[in-house]
Amino acid sequence: MKKIALLMLAGMVTMPVVAADIEAGKAKAGMCMACHGVAGISSIPMYPNLAGQKAMYLVKQLKDFKSGKRQDQTMKGMVMALSDADIVNISAYYASLK
């Protein structure tokens, strides 16, 4: 099982290093694939590619959607059931894709 160290961000505050589980992230990313593509490359122009994005960037965006700091009804619905560990793992998974 691949694991990487990832800093979690809560706004501008740095939290402790958390070991991300890429395989767990891949398993949880199924709901993301409809819009962002099976390999993180979207075939729909209005949805961004996630493959290869920096993990810390993805964590911040997902946390911002969850908190309401970043507004999008579809994404808010997608992230509400995700735990902090899920967010870290999904972000690590997409960051691992090239």
Side-chain angles (χ1 to χ4, degrees):
M1 189 171 2
K2 281 180 142 181
K3 291 190 177 194
I4 63 170
L6 176 68
L7 292 176
M8 289 181 51
L9 297 177
M12 297 303 284
V13 179
T14 303
M15 306 213 25
V17 174
V18 174
D21 185 332
I22 291 171
E23 290 303 315
K26 182 178 181 179
K28 280 280 187 176
M31 65 185 176
C32 309
M33 294 176 184
C35 297
H36 298 287
V38 174
I41 304 296
S42 178
S43 61
I44 304 166
M46 69 182 279
Y47 299 119
N49 295 330
L50 301 180
Q53 291 283 353
K54 294 182 185 323
M56 289 175 50
Y57 169 79
L58 294 172
V59 167
K60 181 181 184 318
Q61 299 314 308
L62 291 173
K63 286 186 167 282
D64 284 353
F65 282 124
K66 190 169 182 176
S67 73
K69 183 176 180 180
R70 187 167 178 191
Q71 295 291 315
D72 183 88
Q73 289 305 311
T74 301
M75 283 302 299
K76 180 137 180 120
M78 294 289 134
V79 299
M80 288 313 291
L82 297 177
S83 68
D84 286 345
D86 292 336
I87 289 172
V88 168
N89 292 337
I90 290 168
S91 297
Y93 166 64
Y94 280 112
S96 76
L97 301 175
K98 301 298 174 207

